[in-house]
Amino acid sequence: MNSRKNEILRIIEKHPEGLTAHAIADLLKMDRSNVSRYLNELYKEQQIAKGEGRPVIYAALATESEKNHVDTSSAITFDNLVGANDSLKVSIQQAKAAILYPPKGLHTIIFGETGTGKSMFAECMYHFAVSSKTLKENAPFISFNCADYAQNPQLLFGHIFGVRQGAYTGALEDTPGLIAKADGGILFLDEIHRLPPEGQEMLFTFIDKGTFRPLGESDKVSEASVQIIGATTESSDAFLTTFNRRIPMSITLPNLISRTMDERYQIISLFIKQEANRLNQRIQVEKSAIIAFMLYDAEANIGQIKRDLKLVCAKAFLHYRTYEQTHLIVRKEDCSLAVQKGLLKVKEVADRLDYFLEGKGDYLTFDPGASEVVWSQDPERDMQVYNDIEEKVASLSETGVALVDLENLISHDVDAYFETYVEELVQLPVHKELVPLELWELTNRLYDLAEKQLDRKYNEKIRFAFALHLQSTLDRVSKDHMIVHPNLNNVRKNLKAEFQVAMDLSSIIEEEQGVEIPFDEIGFISMFLSLEAGEEQSLNIEKVGVIVLMHGEATASSMLQTAQELLGTSIGHAMNMALDIEVKAMYGQLLKHIRANEKRYENGILLLTDMGSLNSFAHLLFEETGIRTKAISMTSTMVVLETLRMADVGRSLEDIYKNVQRSFEMAVHEQFKQVAKKEDLKKAIIVTCFTGEGVAAHLYQRILPIVDQSKVEVIQMQFIERETFKKHIDELLDQYEIKAIAGTVEVEYQNIPFFSAYDIFDDEKLNILKRMVSESLPVETIVKSLQGAITHVPSLQQLIEELQRLVHQVQNQLHLIVDPAVESGLVIHLVFLVESILRGEERPIFKHLNDFQKNYRLESDLMRTGLMSIEKKYQIRISEDEVAHLTQMFLENKLEMQQGELHTRY
C-alpha cells in the first residue's frame, strides 16, 4: 500500500470517533485533494467506513458487535399511509376485511394507475396480517412482477410454479417456485394482467383447489396455503372476467388527482424529509416550489413526484457542495419546467391554498431526524446519487472547474443537438419510404410555405428530418404523451420569426391531422425551421489540441511525426524538453506557445507526457488560460496515435481522455485477468432518437420481441448532442455489455455495432441483430449431447455448423425470425433427419401435401433450394414431405410483431 495511504489509515484507526478529510489533511500536512483521493480508495477497498452525513466522516471499520443497523421497527403499515383516514379509508377497510376473512383470507386484486402505490399497499396488507395474528410472524411475503417474463411463458411458469429436473434443456435440478416459497404467507403478483392464458389457467387451478404442478411434473400434485394479491394498471371494467370471478376482493387505489390538497402536501413533505434524513442535513424549500409540486400534472402519480423531488434535491445538493453552503436550498428555478407549470394553476385553486400561503414565510424548513419518516417506503435509501455528485465535484475541483451550472448544461445540450445531430441526420440518404406518403406531402407543403415566409431554402434532407420528427410528434400527441421543451422561452425570444411561422404551420397540422399541437412542440418546430443546411454542407469539426511533451532532444517530435505519418494528418504539436532545462522554464515555453495559438486550443488541450511530474502543467494551464486541459503520462507511440485519430474526427476532450485511459489501462492489465469482465455484465441494446421517444419507441417495440429480456436489456436513450450521448454510453459500459446501438443517425463509438432505423425494419438485418445478442446452444454442446446417437456422418461437428448456417439462411430468405431456442431445436431435428436418411429409414408423410405446397409454394421452393447443399454433400435426397415438414416448422415458430407485441405460435 502507498505509504501516504498507510499513514491516513493509521491515523483514522487512532481516532475511533472518525475524522473529516479536512481534519486529516491538517494533521498530516497533506494536500486536501490528495487526502480525498486516498480516502476514496480506502473506502472502495473496504478498509474504512464512510459516513452518510455532511461533512463526510471517515472512520475505522466496526467489529461485528459494534455495527449499527437501520431501525426497521417502524415497518410500513396502514397507519403510515398518507390518506389512511381520507382517500384510502375505504380501500384500507376492504384490505383488512380480505386479510381477516375466515378461514384463510380472500384472494385480492388491487387496481390503480402507475405510481399509485399498489406494491406498497400490498406490503401493508402483509404487515396487517402479521400484526393481527392471521399470519405467523415469520410468514413469507414474496413479490414478483409478471411483466419481467411476459415474453417467455416457460420461464414465467417456472418462476411461479417451480421446475422439475429435465423439464427443459438446462433444468439440471428441481427448483421450487414462488408458490412453494410463499407457502404459509402471501404471494404478490404485480402486473398480473401480463400472465399469458396458460399461466392464468394454472393460477386459477391453484386458487380453486390449492394445488399446483411444477413445470415438467406429470404425476405428483403439490399443495400450498398461499393468499394471492394481484395488482394491475388495467381498469376493473376492462379486466378479464375470469380474474374477477376467481378473485372475490377488488380494491381500487385513487390516482393523484383524486387526492386532497392536504394529502398531496403530506406526500411531498414525506419525500423531502426522507432526503433530509438521508443527507443528515437541513433542506429549505421555496414556498412557490412546494406549491408547484402540489399543483403540477404528475403523469405517473406519486412515483412521478418522488422522481422529480429526487432530481431537484440532487440539484440542490450540487449547489450546496459547489458553493459550500450551510444547508440545501431548493428554489422554484431548480424545478423542471413541467413542475414549474404547476404554478399556472394557482388562480384556479387559490381558495384551497389560502391556509397554506399565509403565515409560512418564503421558505419551508425540513430538518433531519423526523420520526414519522418510514425508511421502508424508500428502497433507494442509499447515498449513491449524492456520493456520485460529491466525487464529481471533487474531481472537477482538482482540475480547476469551480462551478457547474446544471440548468445551462441542459439548455446547451438541446441547442447542441440542433447544431450537430440534425445536421448529420440531413446528410444521410433520404429514405422516404419510412414516412407515409401523406405525411411527406404535408411536410413539403409546410416547408414550401416556410420558404416563402422566411425567405430561405430547405433541402430535401432537412425536410426528411422534420418529417421523421413530425411522425413521432403526431404519435405522442395522439397518446397524450407530451415532451417538455427545456428552453422554450429562449426559443421564443431568439427565434421570433421562426416561432411565428411554426405557429402558422402548427395550425395547418392541427386542422389536417385533427390534433392539438402544444407550445413545447412548436418550440421544436421553430428550431427545425432555424436550420439552413445546404445540399453540399459539411460539418465544421472543432478539434481538441494535442501537445506531446517529453524529456530528450527529439523524443516528442519523433513520436508525433511517426503518428502523423501513419494517420496522414498534420494535427498535434511536439515539445522536446532538454535534460538540463528547468521545469519552470519548460512550463514558460509551453504557456507562451499556447497563448500565441489560443484559437487552435479553444476546444481543449490534451497533454501527452512521459513522466507524471509534467502532469501538473495541466492544472496550471487551466488556471492561467482558462482552457480545459487534461494530461496523460507514460505516453507511448500507440497512445499518441490513438489520441490524434480521435482528435482528428472531432471527439471531445473528455471523450478522448477517458477512452485513451481505458484502452491502455486495459491493454496493460488484460493479460493478467483470469476471467473476462464482460462475462459478469448483462447484455444491452441502446435505441435512441433526440427525444428518447418517438422513433426510439418504434425501434424499441421492433427489437424487444427478438431478445431474451432476462439476459438482454433494451434501453431507450435521448440523443441531445453527440458528445453527451457518448458520455452516457461510457457510463453504461460499467454496467452492461452493449451489443449494439440502433437509431436514426450513425454513431461510431467504442467499436459497438450500429443498426440504423432502416436496418431495424429490414428483416434480414434484424435477424443479424438477434443472432448477435442471442445465446443459442454452442456447437460443442450439441455435439456432446448427440455423441453416440449419430453414427453415419463423417464429422458431426461439421454437419452441425453447416446446419446452423442453413437455419440462418432460411430465416433470411423467408423474411422471418425464430426464437434462439427454436433455432437449436431445428438444427437438432435436421441432424436426425440426415442420419435417418443415411440409415435408409422410412420417414413420415405430410398430410395434405398438395394443399400445403399450393398455399406455400414460394416458401417451399426456398426451403428446397436451401437444402440442396446438404443433399449434394451427403449424397441424400430429402423428400417433398420432409421439405413441407421443415417449412411448416419455420412458419409456425416465427416471431410476429403486431402493434408492438410478440406472438409466438407453436
Side-chain angles (χ1 to χ4, degrees):
M1 187 188 294
N2 180 289
S3 59
R4 299 298 272 172
K5 194 155 68 171
N6 248 330
E7 285 184 69
I8 292 172
L9 180 58
R10 284 199 298 271
I11 202 160
I12 288 175
E13 289 171 345
K14 291 178 181 177
H15 293 76
E17 73 281 3
L19 294 168
T20 64
H22 185 76
I24 295 170
D26 286 347
L27 287 169
L28 296 178
K29 308 300 181 190
M30 288 176 62
D31 180 72
R32 188 187 179 283
S33 61
N34 288 335
V35 171
S36 294
R37 179 163 57 85
Y38 288 135
L39 286 168
N40 279 322
E41 288 177 10
L42 288 166
Y43 175 68
K44 288 176 181 177
E45 293 166 4
Q46 297 184 342
Q47 298 200 56
I48 60 173
K50 187 176 181 179
E52 293 187 348
R54 292 293 179 271
V56 177
I57 303 294
Y58 296 88
L61 289 175
T63 63
E64 201 61 37
S65 60
E66 294 171 334
K67 288 181 180 176
N68 293 319
H69 296 281
V70 177
D71 178 15
T72 57
S73 59
S74 58
I76 181 171
T77 68
F78 285 131
D79 295 333
N80 300 133
L81 293 182
V82 172
N85 295 312
D86 199 339
S87 63
L88 293 180
K89 187 173 183 178
V90 173
S91 299
I92 292 173
Q93 288 173 348
Q94 289 178 296
K96 290 181 176 179
I99 293 296
L100 297 173
Y101 194 87
K104 297 179 180 179
L106 294 175
H107 300 298
T108 302
I109 188 83
I110 303 173
F111 295 97
E113 296 175 11
T114 300
T116 49
K118 297 183 293 296
S119 301
M120 186 191 302
F121 196 85
E123 192 179 337
C124 287
M125 289 180 69
Y126 165 75
H127 286 296
F128 175 74
V130 172
S131 64
S132 63
K133 310 296 183 185
T134 305
L135 292 180
K136 294 180 181 178
E137 191 171 343
N138 61 350
F141 176 81
I142 305 294
S143 178
F144 179 72
N145 192 319
C146 299
D148 291 344
Y149 299 98
Q151 305 295 348
N152 193 329
Q154 189 181 58
L155 203 56
L156 179 62
F157 303 157
H159 269 289
I160 296 177
F161 300 103
V163 178
R164 284 288 176 259
Q165 181 180 354
Y168 53 80
T169 303
L172 304 178
E173 59 183 1
D174 290 351
T175 305
L178 299 178
I179 286 181
K181 292 178 181 177
D183 190 15
I186 290 175
L187 173 59
F188 173 59
L189 297 176
D190 201 3
E191 298 198 62
I192 195 171
H193 62 278
R194 299 294 297 275
L195 273 178
E198 304 95 314
Q200 294 170 22
E201 287 303 320
M202 295 170 75
L203 183 64
F204 295 155
T205 299
F206 175 72
I207 289 174
D208 291 341
K209 301 179 180 178
T211 62
F212 65 98
R213 292 180 192 271
L215 196 65
E217 177 63 75
S218 57
D219 302 323
K220 186 180 176 183
V221 175
S222 300
E223 295 183 358
S225 175
V226 177
Q227 184 172 3
I228 303 292
I229 300 177
T232 178
T233 52
E234 299 285 301
S235 68
S236 57
D237 295 336
F239 204 56
L240 296 173
T241 55
T242 45
F243 273 102
N244 289 331
R245 182 161 48 86
R246 284 330 203 294
I247 302 179
M249 178 61 77
S250 64
I251 298 171
T252 301
L253 298 186
N255 59 17
L256 196 62
I257 296 173
S258 308
R259 298 288 196 113
T260 65
M261 203 70 75
D262 279 343
E263 287 182 20
R264 191 150 174 169
Y265 174 67
Q266 289 175 44
I267 290 167
I268 294 165
S269 300
L270 174 67
F271 289 146
I272 297 174
K273 288 172 185 174
Q274 286 179 342
E275 296 306 304
N277 274 6
R278 187 197 311 277
L279 288 164
N280 193 27
Q281 186 61 260
R282 168 178 289 185
I283 299 178
Q284 283 193 322
V285 185
E286 191 175 11
K287 185 165 63 179
S288 56
I290 293 283
I291 295 173
F293 268 103
M294 290 173 67
L295 298 180
Y296 86 111
D297 295 324
E299 185 179 333
N301 294 291
I302 298 172
Q304 182 78 48
I305 287 182
K306 183 173 184 177
R307 287 193 293 274
D308 289 338
L309 276 169
K310 280 183 176 293
L311 174 62
V312 82
C313 285
K315 286 184 182 181
F317 181 73
L318 178 60
H319 292 306
Y320 160 77
R321 279 293 291 112
T322 303
Y323 294 97
E324 298 184 355
Q325 297 169 333
T326 57
H327 57 274
L328 277 71
I329 302 175
V330 174
R331 297 180 177 85
K332 175 188 68 178
E333 292 77 16
D334 297 323
C335 304
S336 68
L337 189 59
V339 174
Q340 289 187 49
K341 284 184 176 180
L343 293 171
L344 300 176
K345 298 182 180 180
V346 169
K347 289 185 178 179
E348 301 172 23
V349 293
D351 55 329
R352 294 161 65 190
L353 288 174
D354 282 345
Y355 78 96
F356 181 78
L357 291 168
E358 295 175 3
K360 283 190 169 24
D362 293 330
Y363 286 86
L364 280 75
T365 300
F366 300 87
D367 286 312
S371 59
E372 68 267 31
V373 175
V374 181
W375 273 114
S376 59
Q377 293 185 48
D378 185 19
E380 300 170 12
R381 57 193 298 179
D382 61 86
M383 294 291 296
Q384 190 57 46
V385 63
Y386 298 111
N387 289 339
D388 287 346
I389 293 173
E390 183 86 55
E391 291 180 12
K392 184 67 176 175
V393 171
S395 65
L396 288 172
S397 298
E398 289 177 11
T399 59
V401 180
L403 306 176
V404 178
D405 192 332
L406 200 58
E407 293 75 21
N408 283 345
L409 181 62
I410 293 171
S411 298
H412 170 73
D413 280 354
V414 176
D415 294 334
Y417 161 71
F418 282 92
E419 294 284 333
T420 60
Y421 179 71
V422 174
E423 289 184 9
E424 290 177 41
L425 175 63
V426 301
Q427 294 185 69
L428 294 177
V430 176
H431 291 256
K432 286 182 280 188
E433 65 273 12
L434 287 183
V435 179
L437 180 61
E438 177 186 319
L439 201 61
W440 181 244
E441 290 174 351
L442 172 59
T443 297
N444 280 319
R445 280 189 283 113
L446 295 174
Y447 267 82
D448 289 344
L449 180 62
E451 283 184 349
K452 291 178 183 177
Q453 295 190 13
L454 295 172
D455 192 25
R456 66 182 65 154
K457 292 291 182 183
Y458 298 98
N459 62 43
E460 189 180 49
K461 292 176 180 178
I462 229 176
R463 293 176 181 223
F464 175 68
F466 176 81
L468 276 179
H469 172 78
L470 180 58
Q471 189 176 20
S472 63
T473 296
L474 292 173
D475 185 53
R476 285 197 306 274
V477 172
S478 69
K479 297 174 181 175
D480 291 323
H481 190 186
M482 304 305 171
I483 297 294
V484 175
H485 194 301
N487 205 15
L488 185 61
N489 286 335
N490 282 343
V491 169
R492 294 177 67 176
K493 203 182 302 178
N494 300 326
L495 300 175
K496 291 180 180 177
E498 287 87 352
F499 195 87
Q500 186 58 52
V501 174
M503 290 183 67
D504 295 340
L505 299 187
S506 68
S507 298
I508 297 173
I509 297 169
E510 288 176 341
E511 185 176 342
E512 293 196 13
Q513 298 294 319
V515 298
E516 184 176 345
I517 303 295
F519 263 29
D520 295 273
E521 294 289 354
I522 294 173
F524 281 115
I525 295 173
S526 305
M527 295 179 80
F528 272 97
L529 294 177
S530 70
L531 300 173
E532 296 183 80
E535 292 290 345
E536 303 300 323
Q537 182 181 10
S538 61
L539 292 176
N540 178 27
I541 298 176
E542 298 177 344
K543 299 178 181 179
V544 169
V546 178
I547 299 176
V548 185
L549 174 62
M550 295 188 177
H551 294 82
E553 294 295 331
T555 310
S557 54
S558 174
M559 196 176 287
L560 179 64
Q561 184 180 355
T562 301
Q564 287 174 331
E565 288 177 1
L566 287 170
L567 292 171
T569 183
S570 60
I571 68 167
H573 178 76
M575 298 191 73
N576 299 303
M577 182 175 174
L579 298 178
D580 58 352
I581 190 173
E582 291 183 2
V583 174
K584 185 177 180 181
M586 190 68 228
Y587 174 72
Q589 292 180 24
L590 176 62
L591 181 61
K592 183 179 179 181
H593 165 74
I594 290 171
R595 282 182 167 159
N597 299 274
E598 282 193 7
K599 189 71 177 173
R600 189 198 303 180
Y601 297 115
E602 63 184 5
N603 294 304
I605 301 169
L606 199 57
L607 200 59
L608 306 180
T609 72
D610 57 349
M611 295 186 189
S613 59
L614 300 180
N615 283 6
S616 59
F617 286 5
H619 177 69
L620 296 172
L621 286 173
F622 177 78
E623 287 293 321
E624 294 207 50
T625 67
I627 298 172
R628 291 180 304 121
T629 307
K630 294 279 187 183
I632 294 176
S633 61
M634 297 181 67
T635 298
S636 64
T637 304
M638 280 300 297
V639 171
V640 178
L641 196 67
E642 186 64 1
T643 303
L644 292 186
R645 183 189 70 78
M646 289 189 282
D648 206 23
V649 296
R651 288 168 71 165
S652 71
L653 176 65
E654 192 70 24
D655 182 16
I656 300 172
Y657 178 72
K658 284 185 177 178
N659 275 283
V660 170
Q661 268 195 330
R662 183 184 294 112
S663 298
F664 291 92
E665 283 178 0
M666 285 179 66
V668 172
H669 297 296
E670 192 68 19
Q671 59 184 306
F672 300 109
K673 291 184 178 179
Q674 294 182 357
V675 181
K677 185 180 178 183
K678 282 189 177 181
E679 293 178 4
D680 300 327
L681 299 178
K682 185 175 182 180
K683 295 177 183 177
I685 298 172
I686 306 298
V687 293
T688 181
C689 71
F690 84 93
T691 60
E693 302 183 19
V695 178
H698 291 303
L699 300 182
Y700 178 89
Q701 293 297 339
R702 177 78 172 161
I703 293 171
L704 195 65
I706 70 163
V707 301
D708 180 350
Q709 294 172 55
S710 66
K711 295 173 182 164
V712 182
E713 190 164 339
V714 185
I715 302 170
Q716 294 186 74
M717 184 181 292
Q718 190 174 18
F719 192 150
I720 292 293
E721 189 266 329
R722 180 173 292 276
E723 301 309 327
T724 305
F725 178 74
K726 289 177 179 178
K727 289 176 184 176
H728 292 164
I729 294 293
D730 286 338
E731 292 166 2
L732 287 175
L733 283 169
D734 292 333
Q735 307 166 49
Y736 298 96
E737 179 189 353
I738 300 178
K739 302 298 291 185
I741 299 172
T744 48
V745 172
E746 184 167 358
V747 182
E748 184 181 333
Y749 190 54
Q750 300 283 24
N751 296 318
I752 300 170
F754 177 83
F755 288 77
S756 69
Y758 323 119
D759 293 334
I760 299 303
F761 286 92
D762 181 302
D763 288 340
E764 185 173 341
K765 297 288 177 62
L766 189 62
N767 202 8
I768 292 170
L769 174 61
K770 187 201 78 167
R771 292 201 295 274
M772 286 171 56
V773 301
S774 298
E775 292 188 2
S776 53
L777 288 176
V779 174
E780 293 77 11
T781 303
I782 301 177
V783 170
K784 188 176 179 181
S785 66
L786 299 180
Q787 205 77 48
I790 306 300
T791 58
H792 285 61
V793 296
S795 170
L796 178 56
Q797 178 160 338
Q798 190 175 18
L799 173 62
I800 291 169
E801 290 172 351
E802 291 166 345
L803 293 176
Q804 282 185 334
R805 284 194 292 272
L806 170 65
V807 169
H808 293 159
Q809 174 190 328
V810 170
Q811 289 180 76
N812 289 335
Q813 290 176 341
L814 294 182
H815 298 292
L816 55 80
I817 300 169
V818 300
D819 187 90
V822 176
E823 276 190 6
S824 301
L826 286 166
V827 170
I828 294 171
H829 173 83
L830 283 162
V831 170
F832 280 105
L833 172 61
V834 173
E835 173 76 5
S836 176
I837 295 173
L838 288 172
R839 287 179 176 179
E841 298 173 352
E842 286 190 18
R843 300 293 301 169
I845 64 169
F846 188 92
K847 292 182 180 180
H848 311 300
L849 177 62
N850 291 335
D851 290 340
F852 183 84
Q853 289 179 329
K854 182 179 178 181
N855 293 329
Y856 299 100
R857 172 57 60 191
L858 176 60
E859 292 85 352
S860 298
D861 287 347
L862 289 171
M863 180 63 68
R864 163 61 67 195
T865 305
L867 291 167
M868 286 173 63
S869 61
I870 299 297
E871 290 180 316
K872 183 177 179 181
K873 174 155 188 179
Y874 292 94
Q875 296 295 298
I876 59 175
R877 173 65 183 171
I878 299 175
S879 68
E880 293 300 320
D881 294 278
E882 289 295 348
V883 172
H885 277 301
L886 286 166
T887 306
Q888 187 180 55
M889 289 170 71
F890 274 96
L891 293 175
E892 292 194 348
N893 286 284
K894 71 177 180 179
L895 304 180
E896 295 179 348
M897 273 67 74
Q898 297 177 351
Q899 297 178 346
E901 293 185 355
L902 170 65
H903 304 273
T904 307
R905 297 190 310 222
Y906 293 93

